[in-house]
Amino acid sequence: RIMRPDDANIAGNVHGGTILKMIEEAGAIISTRHCNSQAGEPCVAALARVERTDFLSPMCIGEVANVSAEITYTSRHSVEVQVNVMSENILTGAKKVTNKATLWYVPLSLKNVNKVLEVPPIQYARKEQEDEGKKRYEEQKLDRLETKQRNGDVILPVINPEPHTVGYSQSSLIHLVGPSDCTLLGFVHGGVTMKLMDEVAGIVAARHCKTNIVTASVDAINFHEKIKKGCVITVSGRMTFTSNKSMEIEVFVDADPFVDEPRERYRAVSAFFTYVSLSKEGKPLPVPQLLTETEDEKRRFEEGKGRYLQTKAKRQAQMQQSAQ
Amino acid sequence: RIMRPDDANIAGNVHGGTILKMIEEAGAIISTRHCNSQAGEPCVAALARVERTDFLSPMCIGEVANVSAEITYTSRHSVEVQVNVMSENILTGAKKVTNKATLWYVPLSLKNVNKVLEVPPIQYARKEQEDEGKKRYEEQKLDRLETKQRNGDVILPVINPEPHTVGYSQSSLIHLVGPSDCTLLGFVHGGVTMKLMDEVAGIVAARHCKTNIVTASVDAINFHEKIKKGCVITVSGRMTFTSNKSMEIEVFVDADPFVDEPRERYRAVSAFFTYVSLSKEGKPLPVPQLLTETEDEKRRFEEGKGRYLQTKAKRQAQMQQSAQ
Amino acid sequence: RIMRPDDANIAGNVHGGTILKMIEEAGAIISTRHCNSQAGEPCVAALARVERTDFLSPMCIGEVANVSAEITYTSRHSVEVQVNVMSENILTGAKKVTNKATLWYVPLSLKNVNKVLEVPPIQYARKEQEDEGKKRYEEQKLDRLETKQRNGDVILPVINPEPHTVGYSQSSLIHLVGPSDCTLLGFVHGGVTMKLMDEVAGIVAARHCKTNIVTASVDAINFHEKIKKGCVITVSGRMTFTSNKSMEIEVFVDADPFVDEPRERYRAVSAFFTYVSLSKEGKPLPVPQLLTETEDEKRRFEEGKGRYLQTKAKRQAQMQQSAQ
């Protein structure tokens, strides 16, 4: 579809969150279609995880987004979907890859939302494809378990924070979940959640460096808990790490089923977003260093540095590989 | 994309206007892409006309709309696009044709919005395709001239109208044109206008028969005048004709460039919408007869009857043809 | 959240209606949460009244709105909430108070929408707070009764009105209530109604003075009647008074439960909006005087003048108080 002014920031760059939302909708359609392709209990595919994704080039207002999706692996209870987004300037015909993402879905029964159904297996062209898929499946399963433990953290408000400290840029928004945010099962679309997360992360980044910022990448996101219609969700973000030219922001989503539900507020999702600051000509700008004050902040900064160096090393390895 | 609660009425049927908007966006993308496919002045394709279209089966919340578009004819300054919409139930896999539409676009220069550029010719597989396209082109050109003359009409308010008279159900809405309604040239997308027209027509129909109603067809719509960002548009509708099971509603769109413009209010578009009333089981219900009072109302009723009988005759001819 | 192009007029000032909608959503969340904080029948807080609110400084596209809400008084069946909106320019860090509002909510049972539940009492830090809250409660109760009687008025259409008369700028819009407009109980959010009211009032003001206009204040609004999903609402506005630099517009909301309901059209809300006209540099411009023609128009003009002088006197008293 054509990118509109509301999809973009004031510099005309389309929000990463808008793109994530389109990706998730494409993934949900193709995996729901696949899981219902054999006679059996009708189901809706629910997003369980999005792998780390890089935004390779910014998309602008007036460009057309072409989204294509393909099922690349099926386990007994989950579907792996790869989604590619191309931006097309229909005036010049120029096309660019905006990003590629890998998503995992699980089929939930339409009659009983707590029942996970079986996934019809796909045919692989080559045996290696199946083996590689299985490897990816095992890896993500492990990672999901790990993040489940990390989820206890909260963001406390800070009064009169100094510039460039963590407290200075941390932000949160609340959103009342309406019918258009939800699937047929009455649960929030993963894409809607990711769009809100990107919105908060973008505010944190802009508050920190006071310039035009864009989403550079999103780390793997695990959706441990569903969020139901009528909940209030609180999306909070805080900066964890800065390199010379990038910022890492941790975002939490908490759901508050405050009507009709005997349940406490709970952590539904958390993720790391990386932003860069751009000049008016679209060049990366230096980022002010994050000032850490508490022990926890220092620890998170080091952890962020670890993720940053690991990603950098991986990218260099890939570049050397493709140069060979 | 997946149909959401906001796209549909309370009975779960997707608004005809939502479908018209998707159709127009697909047409605008393919024709803008085509008109910029050769080096030359960059341009944006603007909607000039939509041919009569029938809504063959209602689409429901949760279904996926598949929209495909193809360029079928080019004249020197215009492009004919055919768009098909299929609704797909991703739970059962069932697909149905929702409607087929033919749209005409003209390329306007990005630098000078009043300049119509030349259209690169397409290649035809067979000579007959070009001849048939040319015939359609000449027919629509003639029809456009005719409707241009009919455009002087206005809808006058009626105080304390009787049930089932024209004044009883006539309705109008105003809308302030915002940035998301507009193309790169700062003019309202034809699809946005059609969506508002369908909204008003639907309210007229529902006021008349107080039941669940759905769009059955839309007569050819000509876009004689562009509408600019910041205008207020008034969309008004009145019932012109009822058969046993259908209602015809005439809709006018007037633009009011009230800020920053030395121009008077003007008629931008007008069209006829046909609605049917459905029971809870989706069966057509009888429609209360329209009570005409003035001479003008009686004349419009007869004209509407003419259109109704003509369409009926055409459909029967087609059915006989396809039965042979 | 960040203000987007669609939230603002063409001069970049955020619509008062967008701000009112955010305020109401915050109030609804905090009061629903409070009313469900003790074991008992689940409920949703419905907006009963908004006190007069002034828009102290306009908000612009790209700014972040910070909304904070606090419960300040509880009676047996109602909750008073105070909401503050700050606009923050995240590039410069500058923050300004946009407005402060006081809202009253009543808890309606989720099982039986006509049953008003009891509100858990809040703890006051000081006894005076409770006494002052009680005083505010009694005052608004009285005012609600008064406006209930005033609600019979209707706006009649005028044909070929002269510039700057009441008929010249009066406007109305219709809106079909969709699922996203509604709470869990299936009734329109007060904030959605206020946004539509501000939209109509803004069009009336712009038609009168043909310049860029912004909302300056909104008088107390009482929500006497709920509006249900599937209704058509008609929002109409007419100018009642002009001072040298401001315009007062009266807005009515009528609900038409035209499907599936045995009820006649009824008046749901009415309110007075005050607008000012701004130059491109943001300075207040003189406003053309309203030409009153009928006795009713002259009476309403005098009443408007009374409200204007009263507000002016109150403001001067407050300024003297704070200067001491």
Side-chain angles (χ1 to χ4, degrees), chain C residues 78-106:
Chain C
S78 68
V79 181
E80 186 200 49
V81 182
Q82 293 201 356
V83 182
N84 291 330
V85 183
M86 304 271 289
S87 69
E88 177 189 0
N89 182 325
I90 43 175
L91 302 186
T92 65
K95 283 184 190 181
K96 282 179 303 185
V97 174
T98 300
N99 64 353
K100 297 180 181 188
T102 304
L103 302 94
W104 294 87
Y105 288 86
V106 290

Side-chain angles (χ1 to χ4, degrees), chain C residues 165-220:
Chain C
T165 58
V166 175
Y168 180 70
S169 58
Q170 71 182 29
S171 305
S172 72
L173 66 77
I174 50 177
H175 174 74
L176 181 62
V177 174
S180 283
D181 300 329
C182 292
T183 65
L184 283 181
L185 288 169
F187 292 109
V188 178
H189 279 292
V192 170
T193 310
M194 290 194 286
K195 191 163 185 280
L196 289 169
M197 293 170 88
D198 178 68
E199 195 174 329
V200 166
I203 290 173
V204 172
R207 279 187 166 154
H208 181 77
C209 63
K210 315 265 180 215
T211 54
N212 178 38
I213 50 86
V214 297
T215 317
S217 68
V218 182
D219 233 44

Side-chain angles (χ1 to χ4, degrees), chain A residues 6 176 180 206-207 210 258, chain C residues 6 25 32 88 90-91 180:
Chain A
D6 269 16
L176 182 61
S180 282
R207 276 184 168 156
K210 317 262 179 223
F258 68 131
Chain C
D6 272 13
E25 185 165 337
T32 301
E88 177 189 0
I90 43 175
L91 302 186
S180 283

Side-chain angles (χ1 to χ4, degrees), chain A residues 59-314:
Chain A
M59 204 183 285
C60 294
I61 297 174
E63 290 186 342
V64 172
N66 289 296
V67 182
S68 59
E70 189 192 0
I71 294 180
T72 43
Y73 181 75
T74 50
S75 75
R76 199 169 159 204
H77 289 300
S78 68
V79 180
E80 186 200 50
V81 182
Q82 293 201 355
V83 182
N84 292 331
V85 183
M86 305 271 290
S87 70
E88 176 188 0
N89 182 325
I90 45 174
L91 303 186
T92 65
K95 284 185 189 181
K96 283 179 302 184
V97 174
T98 301
N99 64 353
K100 297 180 182 192
T102 303
L103 303 94
W104 294 88
Y105 288 86
V106 290
L108 302 179
S109 164
L110 203 55
K111 286 168 200 156
N112 173 3
V113 76
N114 295 313
K115 187 175 165 194
V116 178
L117 300 182
E118 297 210 359
V119 173
I122 58 165
Q123 303 299 325
Y124 301 92
R126 286 172 300 114
K127 179 75 173 65
E128 299 90 77
Q129 290 180 344
E130 186 169 1
D131 295 344
E132 286 163 20
K134 187 159 195 178
K135 210 177 129 202
R136 291 193 300 272
Y137 170 73
E138 298 296 347
E139 278 173 8
Q140 63 89 22
K141 207 169 163 182
L142 209 67
D143 188 82
R144 295 196 62 183
L145 280 174
E146 272 173 28
T147 59
K148 208 157 185 175
Q149 291 159 356
R150 191 169 48 84
N151 269 340
D153 230 343
V154 288
I155 294 183
L156 292 176
V158 177
I159 294 151
N160 291 326
E162 291 295 307
H164 304 137
T165 57
V166 174
Y168 181 69
S169 58
Q170 72 182 29
S171 304
S172 70
L173 67 77
I174 52 176
H175 174 74
L176 182 61
V177 175
S180 282
D181 299 329
C182 292
T183 66
L184 282 181
L185 288 169
F187 293 108
V188 178
H189 279 291
V192 170
T193 311
M194 289 194 286
K195 190 162 186 280
L196 290 168
M197 293 170 87
D198 179 68
E199 194 172 331
V200 167
I203 291 173
V204 173
R207 276 184 168 156
H208 181 78
C209 64
K210 317 262 179 223
T211 53
N212 178 37
I213 49 86
V214 297
T215 317
S217 68
V218 183
D219 233 45
I221 309 181
N222 294 302
F223 292 82
H224 294 300
E225 294 265 11
K226 297 183 288 280
I227 305 170
K228 212 174 157 181
K229 187 161 71 183
C231 280
V232 168
I233 54 181
T234 305
V235 186
S236 348
R238 68 174 164 213
M239 197 162 289
T240 45
F241 168 74
T242 50
S243 72
N244 287 341
K245 301 215 169 153
S246 72
M247 299 158 271
E248 188 195 61
I249 294 122
E250 185 171 19
V251 183
F252 301 105
V253 180
D254 295 302
D256 206 349
F258 68 131
V259 178
D260 216 18
E261 289 273 335
R263 225 186 135 178
E264 282 295 291
R265 174 194 269 235
Y266 59 94
R267 172 71 34 96
V269 199
S270 72
F272 292 102
F273 285 71
T274 301
Y275 277 76
V276 292
S277 164
L278 292 184
S279 71
K280 279 185 183 160
E281 295 75 37
K283 290 252 170 90
L285 291 173
V287 164
Q289 209 195 330
L290 181 68
L291 303 179
T292 52
E293 296 171 312
T294 68
E295 281 312 302
D296 276 349
E297 288 173 10
K298 286 183 210 302
R299 180 183 47 76
R300 286 197 296 262
F301 192 92
E302 288 309 313
E303 289 169 1
K305 196 175 191 168
R307 283 184 292 271
Y308 170 75
L309 294 174
Q310 207 181 339
T311 307
K312 207 171 164 179
K314 259 193 205 164

Side-chain angles (χ1 to χ4, degrees), chain B residues 39-88:
Chain B
E41 226 172 309
C43 64
V44 171
L47 182 65
R49 178 180 163 90
V50 181
E51 300 292 348
R52 182 193 159 76
T53 175
D54 292 297
F55 291 82
L56 304 170
S57 64
M59 205 183 284
C60 295
I61 297 173
E63 291 187 342
V64 173
N66 289 296
V67 182
S68 59
E70 188 194 359
I71 295 181
T72 41
Y73 181 73
T74 51
S75 75
R76 198 167 160 205
H77 289 299
S78 68
V79 181
E80 186 200 50
V81 182
Q82 293 201 354
V83 183
N84 291 330
V85 183
M86 304 271 290
S87 70
E88 177 189 359

